[in-house]
Amino acid sequence: MKALHSKWIYLFILSLIWGSSFMLIKKGLVGLTPMQLGAVRIIFTGTFLFIIGFRKIKEIKSTKEWKGIVLTGLLGTFFPSFLFAFAETEIDSAVASIINSLVPINTILIGLLVFKIKSTKQQVLGVFIGLIGTLILIMNGVSLNPTQNYFYAVLVVIATIMYAASSNIIKYYLQHVNALTIAVGNFMVIMIPAIIVLISSGFFKEETLAKEQLKPALLYMLLLSLFGTAVAKVLFNKLIQVSTPVFGSSVAYLMPIVAVFWGVLDGERFSFLQTISTVIILIGVYLAQKRKR
C-alpha cells in the first residue's frame, strides 16, 4: 500500500476510534474512579499487546531506543490515561475532544522549542488562533455548565502537550523501530506502575467489586483498551512513520466531529458559541500544521 494512500486510511480509522473513546471514558467513570479507570485501561491494553506481540521486545536493542520507548510510554499513554479520566469527571466528553485538537499546535511548538524546527509566520498565527478558540470554548463552557469545574480542562491541555512530545520522539528517535514493537515496549514499561496504582486505588475492596456499575464500566474499558489504545496505538505509530508528526496529529481535525456526535446523543449540551470556538480552534490547527510548498 502506497504511503500516500495508507496514511489517509490510518487517519480516518484513528479518527473514528479516538473520537469514540471520550464517550467510553465518560461511561467508564460511572463505575470506576479516575485512578482505577486509567490503570485498568493500561492493564487491559498491555495484556492484549503482550498476547499478540511480546516477542517484539527483543527488537529493541540499544539504550537510545529504550530511552525513546520509556518516554513515549509515559508521555503518550501513561499520564494522559489518568489526565483524561480526571478531566471528564468535570467537563463534557465532547469538550475534552475539542481541546484535544490542540495536539497539532503543540506538536509544532515542541518541534520549534526542542527539535529546533523552524516555523513560518502562518504557523505562529495558527497557534495564536487556536489558543484563542480554546479560551473561548472554556469560558463559554463555564457559563453554559456552571456546575462543572472547567479548571479541569487544563488537564486535557497538559495531555495534548504530552501527546505532541511523544509524536516528535517517535519521529526523530524511533522512526526505524516497528510500530507494534514500540507499542509493546511502551506497555512493558508502564504496566507495573499501572498495577501498583490499581491496587492502591482500592479496586479490590469488597465494596468496589460489589458495585452494580462495575461490570458495565469494565466492559467499556475493555472496548476502549482493545480499540482505543491497543489497536490505535499501533496504527498511530505506523501513521507517524509513513507521514510526519504534524500530519499524524491532524487526526484531531476529525475526532471532535465523532465525539460531539456521541456527546449530543448522550444528552450533552453544546451551544452555538462552542461550535464557533471549535471552528476557530480547527482553523488554528490547520494554519499551524500547513507548510509552504
Side-chain angles (χ1 to χ4, degrees):
M1 189 186 300
K2 293 182 179 180
L4 179 62
H5 296 148
S6 63
K7 71 178 184 179
W8 286 104
I9 294 173
Y10 291 140
L11 187 70
F12 179 73
I13 295 173
L14 281 170
S15 68
L16 291 177
I17 293 175
W18 277 340
S20 301
S21 67
F22 298 94
M23 182 55 63
L24 290 174
I25 291 173
K26 177 182 177 179
K27 295 298 185 182
L29 286 169
V30 175
L32 296 166
T33 67
M35 295 298 286
Q36 291 168 352
L37 187 148
V40 166
R41 179 181 178 181
I42 291 169
I43 293 168
F44 279 178
T45 306
T47 302
F48 291 138
L49 288 173
F50 290 163
I51 290 172
I52 65 174
F54 186 75
R55 293 182 180 180
K56 290 285 186 178
I57 290 294
K58 63 183 180 182
E59 296 181 9
I60 308 172
K61 298 177 180 179
S62 70
T63 302
K64 182 179 179 180
E65 289 174 350
W66 270 113
K67 286 180 179 178
I69 293 293
V70 171
L71 285 174
T72 54
L74 293 173
L75 298 175
T77 302
F78 186 79
F79 292 122
S81 295
F82 296 102
L83 290 171
F84 273 99
F86 275 104
E88 289 197 38
T89 61
E90 290 291 338
I91 64 175
D92 288 336
S93 61
V95 173
S97 74
I98 294 165
I99 298 174
N100 188 66
S101 300
L102 291 175
V103 172
I105 290 176
N106 288 327
T107 301
I108 290 291
L109 289 175
I110 290 176
L112 173 64
L113 298 175
V114 179
F115 296 93
K116 309 302 180 184
I117 300 173
K118 293 182 178 179
S119 296
T120 64
K121 291 181 179 179
Q122 179 175 277
Q123 288 174 325
V124 174
L125 177 62
V127 170
F128 183 69
I129 291 174
L131 293 177
I132 290 176
T134 303
L135 289 174
I136 295 174
L137 179 70
I138 293 173
M139 291 172 65
N140 184 245
V142 172
S143 60
L144 185 66
N145 300 293
T147 59
Q148 296 181 358
N149 186 350
Y150 266 71
F151 284 110
Y152 277 68
V154 175
L155 299 181
V156 180
V157 175
I158 294 172
T160 65
I161 295 172
M162 291 182 174
Y163 283 147
S166 179
S167 297
N168 277 290
I169 292 170
I170 290 171
K171 186 63 180 181
Y172 295 102
Y173 296 110
L174 299 173
Q175 171 69 19
H176 58 290
V177 181
N178 178 271
L180 178 59
T181 301
I182 296 173
V184 174
N186 289 158
F187 281 87
M188 182 177 179
V189 170
I190 65 178
M191 275 277 279
I192 293 177
I195 292 172
I196 293 173
V197 169
L198 186 64
I199 293 172
S200 62
S201 70
F203 177 80
F204 294 101
K205 290 183 178 180
E206 186 176 344
E207 57 266 32
T208 301
L209 297 175
K211 289 167 62 176
E212 280 185 25
Q213 304 95 329
L214 182 61
K215 287 184 179 179
L218 290 176
L219 177 59
Y220 289 126
M221 286 305 96
L222 193 64
L223 291 172
L224 178 62
S225 301
L226 178 58
F227 294 102
T229 310
V231 173
K233 184 75 174 177
V234 176
L235 288 177
F236 183 70
N237 291 345
K238 188 64 178 177
L239 175 61
I240 293 296
Q241 291 177 329
V242 300
S243 58
T244 67
V246 174
F247 181 87
S249 61
S250 65
V251 67
Y253 288 133
L254 303 176
M255 284 167 53
I257 299 173
V258 178
V260 169
F261 171 78
W262 287 119
V264 171
L265 284 184
D266 198 54
E268 293 181 2
R269 298 176 64 191
F270 202 74
S271 70
F272 177 74
L273 187 55
Q274 284 181 309
T275 302
I276 296 300
S277 62
T278 301
V279 173
I280 292 173
I281 291 173
L282 294 182
I283 289 173
V285 171
Y286 173 76
L287 292 175
Q289 66 87 41
K290 186 175 176 62
R291 298 184 183 276
K292 290 183 177 180
R293 298 187 179 187

PDB file of all heavy atoms in Angstrom, residues 46 57 65 72 75 85 121 126 132 200-201 218-219 221 225 228 243-244 255 258 280:
ATOM      1  N   GLY A  46      -2.208  -3.466  27.767  1.00  0.00           N
ATOM      2  CA  GLY A  46      -0.931  -4.162  27.837  1.00  0.00           C
ATOM      3  C   GLY A  46      -1.087  -5.658  27.654  1.00  0.00           C
ATOM      4  O   GLY A  46      -0.282  -6.312  26.969  1.00  0.00           O
ATOM      5  N   ILE A  57       9.682  -7.491  21.716  1.00  0.00           N
ATOM      6  CA  ILE A  57      10.544  -6.797  22.679  1.00  0.00           C
ATOM      7  C   ILE A  57      12.022  -6.958  22.325  1.00  0.00           C
ATOM      8  O   ILE A  57      12.828  -6.026  22.481  1.00  0.00           O
ATOM      9  CB  ILE A  57      10.293  -7.327  24.111  1.00  0.00           C
ATOM     10  CG1 ILE A  57       8.914  -6.881  24.599  1.00  0.00           C
ATOM     11  CG2 ILE A  57      11.365  -6.830  25.075  1.00  0.00           C
ATOM     12  CD1 ILE A  57       8.792  -5.390  24.794  1.00  0.00           C
ATOM     13  N   GLU A  65      17.195   3.531  22.006  1.00  0.00           N
ATOM     14  CA  GLU A  65      15.848   3.089  21.670  1.00  0.00           C
ATOM     15  C   GLU A  65      15.003   2.910  22.929  1.00  0.00           C
ATOM     16  O   GLU A  65      13.835   3.301  22.969  1.00  0.00           O
ATOM     17  CB  GLU A  65      15.905   1.785  20.876  1.00  0.00           C
ATOM     18  CG  GLU A  65      16.427   1.960  19.457  1.00  0.00           C
ATOM     19  CD  GLU A  65      16.616   0.637  18.735  1.00  0.00           C
ATOM     20  OE1 GLU A  65      16.527  -0.427  19.395  1.00  0.00           O
ATOM     21  OE2 GLU A  65      16.858   0.661  17.514  1.00  0.00           O
ATOM     22  N   THR A  72       8.050   7.714  25.394  1.00  0.00           N
ATOM     23  CA  THR A  72       6.784   7.677  24.662  1.00  0.00           C
ATOM     24  C   THR A  72       5.725   6.878  25.420  1.00  0.00           C
ATOM     25  O   THR A  72       4.525   7.149  25.288  1.00  0.00           O
ATOM     26  CB  THR A  72       6.968   7.102  23.247  1.00  0.00           C
ATOM     27  OG1 THR A  72       7.611   5.816  23.330  1.00  0.00           O
ATOM     28  CG2 THR A  72       7.808   8.040  22.392  1.00  0.00           C
ATOM     29  N   LEU A  75       4.686   9.529  28.276  1.00  0.00           N
ATOM     30  CA  LEU A  75       4.061  10.740  27.747  1.00  0.00           C
ATOM     31  C   LEU A  75       2.898  10.451  26.799  1.00  0.00           C
ATOM     32  O   LEU A  75       1.934  11.209  26.743  1.00  0.00           O
ATOM     33  CB  LEU A  75       5.107  11.593  27.015  1.00  0.00           C
ATOM     34  CG  LEU A  75       6.262  12.117  27.864  1.00  0.00           C
ATOM     35  CD1 LEU A  75       7.274  12.842  26.982  1.00  0.00           C
ATOM     36  CD2 LEU A  75       5.761  13.031  28.970  1.00  0.00           C
ATOM     37  N   ALA A  85      -9.113  10.926  32.350  1.00  0.00           N
ATOM     38  CA  ALA A  85     -10.102  10.366  33.274  1.00  0.00           C
ATOM     39  C   ALA A  85     -10.511  11.404  34.318  1.00  0.00           C
ATOM     40  O   ALA A  85     -11.703  11.594  34.588  1.00  0.00           O
ATOM     41  CB  ALA A  85      -9.530   9.116  33.953  1.00  0.00           C
ATOM     42  N   LYS A 121       5.484  32.276   9.747  1.00  0.00           N
ATOM     43  CA  LYS A 121       4.580  33.238  10.374  1.00  0.00           C
ATOM     44  C   LYS A 121       3.149  32.680  10.386  1.00  0.00           C
ATOM     45  O   LYS A 121       2.390  32.923  11.321  1.00  0.00           O
ATOM     46  CB  LYS A 121       4.620  34.565   9.616  1.00  0.00           C
ATOM     47  CG  LYS A 121       5.944  35.310   9.757  1.00  0.00           C
ATOM     48  CD  LYS A 121       5.904  36.627   8.986  1.00  0.00           C
ATOM     49  CE  LYS A 121       7.223  37.373   9.141  1.00  0.00           C
ATOM     50  NZ  LYS A 121       7.232  38.659   8.379  1.00  0.00           N
ATOM     51  N   GLY A 126      -1.418  30.448  13.408  1.00  0.00           N
ATOM     52  CA  GLY A 126      -2.299  29.322  13.692  1.00  0.00           C
ATOM     53  C   GLY A 126      -2.301  28.956  15.163  1.00  0.00           C
ATOM     54  O   GLY A 126      -3.353  28.669  15.747  1.00  0.00           O
ATOM     55  N   ILE A 132      -6.796  31.123  21.167  1.00  0.00           N
ATOM     56  CA  ILE A 132      -7.967  31.990  21.368  1.00  0.00           C
ATOM     57  C   ILE A 132      -9.246  31.149  21.350  1.00  0.00           C
ATOM     58  O   ILE A 132     -10.130  31.308  22.199  1.00  0.00           O
ATOM     59  CB  ILE A 132      -8.032  33.079  20.278  1.00  0.00           C
ATOM     60  CG1 ILE A 132      -6.913  34.101  20.482  1.00  0.00           C
ATOM     61  CG2 ILE A 132      -9.397  33.775  20.304  1.00  0.00           C
ATOM     62  CD1 ILE A 132      -6.849  35.165  19.401  1.00  0.00           C
ATOM     63  N   SER A 200      -3.480   0.203  44.836  1.00  0.00           N
ATOM     64  CA  SER A 200      -3.557   1.269  45.844  1.00  0.00           C
ATOM     65  C   SER A 200      -4.843   2.086  45.746  1.00  0.00           C
ATOM     66  O   SER A 200      -5.171   2.832  46.669  1.00  0.00           O
ATOM     67  CB  SER A 200      -2.347   2.203  45.719  1.00  0.00           C
ATOM     68  OG  SER A 200      -2.331   2.834  44.450  1.00  0.00           O
ATOM     69  N   SER A 201      -5.599   1.928  44.646  1.00  0.00           N
ATOM     70  CA  SER A 201      -6.822   2.709  44.455  1.00  0.00           C
ATOM     71  C   SER A 201      -8.033   2.132  45.176  1.00  0.00           C
ATOM     72  O   SER A 201      -9.113   2.723  45.171  1.00  0.00           O
ATOM     73  CB  SER A 201      -7.157   2.811  42.956  1.00  0.00           C
ATOM     74  OG  SER A 201      -7.580   1.547  42.458  1.00  0.00           O
ATOM     75  N   LEU A 218     -16.262  -1.958  33.262  1.00  0.00           N
ATOM     76  CA  LEU A 218     -15.149  -2.789  32.800  1.00  0.00           C
ATOM     77  C   LEU A 218     -15.329  -3.172  31.330  1.00  0.00           C
ATOM     78  O   LEU A 218     -14.350  -3.272  30.590  1.00  0.00           O
ATOM     79  CB  LEU A 218     -15.024  -4.047  33.664  1.00  0.00           C
ATOM     80  CG  LEU A 218     -14.544  -3.818  35.099  1.00  0.00           C
ATOM     81  CD1 LEU A 218     -14.548  -5.134  35.876  1.00  0.00           C
ATOM     82  CD2 LEU A 218     -13.148  -3.203  35.122  1.00  0.00           C
ATOM     83  N   LEU A 219     -16.593  -3.353  30.914  1.00  0.00           N
ATOM     84  CA  LEU A 219     -16.852  -3.651  29.504  1.00  0.00           C
ATOM     85  C   LEU A 219     -16.466  -2.460  28.627  1.00  0.00           C
ATOM     86  O   LEU A 219     -15.840  -2.633  27.575  1.00  0.00           O
ATOM     87  CB  LEU A 219     -18.328  -3.989  29.302  1.00  0.00           C
ATOM     88  CG  LEU A 219     -18.760  -4.259  27.842  1.00  0.00           C
ATOM     89  CD1 LEU A 219     -17.975  -5.416  27.246  1.00  0.00           C
ATOM     90  CD2 LEU A 219     -20.260  -4.528  27.770  1.00  0.00           C
ATOM     91  N   MET A 221     -14.231  -0.260  29.351  1.00  0.00           N
ATOM     92  CA  MET A 221     -12.773  -0.196  29.366  1.00  0.00           C
ATOM     93  C   MET A 221     -12.148  -1.258  28.469  1.00  0.00           C
ATOM     94  O   MET A 221     -11.087  -1.053  27.878  1.00  0.00           O
ATOM     95  CB  MET A 221     -12.248  -0.345  30.799  1.00  0.00           C
ATOM     96  CG  MET A 221     -12.460   0.882  31.675  1.00  0.00           C
ATOM     97  SD  MET A 221     -11.765   2.393  30.934  1.00  0.00           S
ATOM     98  CE  MET A 221     -13.224   3.091  30.116  1.00  0.00           C
ATOM     99  N   SER A 225      -9.772  -0.202  25.634  1.00  0.00           N
ATOM    100  CA  SER A 225      -8.402  -0.721  25.660  1.00  0.00           C
ATOM    101  C   SER A 225      -8.052  -1.444  24.368  1.00  0.00           C
ATOM    102  O   SER A 225      -6.961  -1.266  23.821  1.00  0.00           O
ATOM    103  CB  SER A 225      -8.222  -1.675  26.849  1.00  0.00           C
ATOM    104  OG  SER A 225      -8.495  -1.022  28.062  1.00  0.00           O
ATOM    105  N   GLY A 228      -9.377   1.634  21.353  1.00  0.00           N
ATOM    106  CA  GLY A 228      -8.929   3.000  21.569  1.00  0.00           C
ATOM    107  C   GLY A 228      -7.481   3.139  21.968  1.00  0.00           C
ATOM    108  O   GLY A 228      -6.885   4.194  21.795  1.00  0.00           O
ATOM    109  N   SER A 243       4.214   9.184   7.563  1.00  0.00           N
ATOM    110  CA  SER A 243       3.904  10.582   7.247  1.00  0.00           C
ATOM    111  C   SER A 243       4.836  11.488   8.051  1.00  0.00           C
ATOM    112  O   SER A 243       6.052  11.376   7.932  1.00  0.00           O
ATOM    113  CB  SER A 243       2.432  10.897   7.550  1.00  0.00           C
ATOM    114  OG  SER A 243       2.108  10.634   8.908  1.00  0.00           O
ATOM    115  N   THR A 244       4.271  12.389   8.849  1.00  0.00           N
ATOM    116  CA  THR A 244       5.044  13.288   9.707  1.00  0.00           C
ATOM    117  C   THR A 244       4.311  13.415  11.041  1.00  0.00           C
ATOM    118  O   THR A 244       3.116  13.105  11.134  1.00  0.00           O
ATOM    119  CB  THR A 244       5.170  14.699   9.085  1.00  0.00           C
ATOM    120  OG1 THR A 244       3.870  15.307   9.054  1.00  0.00           O
ATOM    121  CG2 THR A 244       5.760  14.636   7.690  1.00  0.00           C
ATOM    122  N   MET A 255     -11.616  13.931  14.943  1.00  0.00           N
ATOM    123  CA  MET A 255     -12.065  13.376  16.221  1.00  0.00           C
ATOM    124  C   MET A 255     -13.203  14.156  16.866  1.00  0.00           C
ATOM    125  O   MET A 255     -14.173  13.550  17.356  1.00  0.00           O
ATOM    126  CB  MET A 255     -10.876  13.286  17.197  1.00  0.00           C
ATOM    127  CG  MET A 255      -9.937  12.145  16.910  1.00  0.00           C
ATOM    128  SD  MET A 255      -8.386  12.297  17.836  1.00  0.00           S
ATOM    129  CE  MET A 255      -8.977  12.498  19.511  1.00  0.00           C
ATOM    130  N   VAL A 258     -16.706  13.255  15.556  1.00  0.00           N
ATOM    131  CA  VAL A 258     -17.207  11.977  16.074  1.00  0.00           C
ATOM    132  C   VAL A 258     -17.616  12.121  17.537  1.00  0.00           C
ATOM    133  O   VAL A 258     -18.688  11.669  17.953  1.00  0.00           O
ATOM    134  CB  VAL A 258     -16.128  10.879  15.933  1.00  0.00           C
ATOM    135  CG1 VAL A 258     -16.626   9.556  16.509  1.00  0.00           C
ATOM    136  CG2 VAL A 258     -15.730  10.704  14.468  1.00  0.00           C
ATOM    137  N   ILE A 280     -12.901  27.865  15.235  1.00  0.00           N
ATOM    138  CA  ILE A 280     -11.712  28.712  15.417  1.00  0.00           C
ATOM    139  C   ILE A 280     -10.492  27.861  15.743  1.00  0.00           C
ATOM    140  O   ILE A 280      -9.403  28.045  15.184  1.00  0.00           O
ATOM    141  CB  ILE A 280     -11.954  29.754  16.531  1.00  0.00           C
ATOM    142  CG1 ILE A 280     -13.010  30.767  16.083  1.00  0.00           C
ATOM    143  CG2 ILE A 280     -10.648  30.482  16.889  1.00  0.00           C
ATOM    144  CD1 ILE A 280     -13.431  31.730  17.183  1.00  0.00           C
TER     145      ILE A 280
END
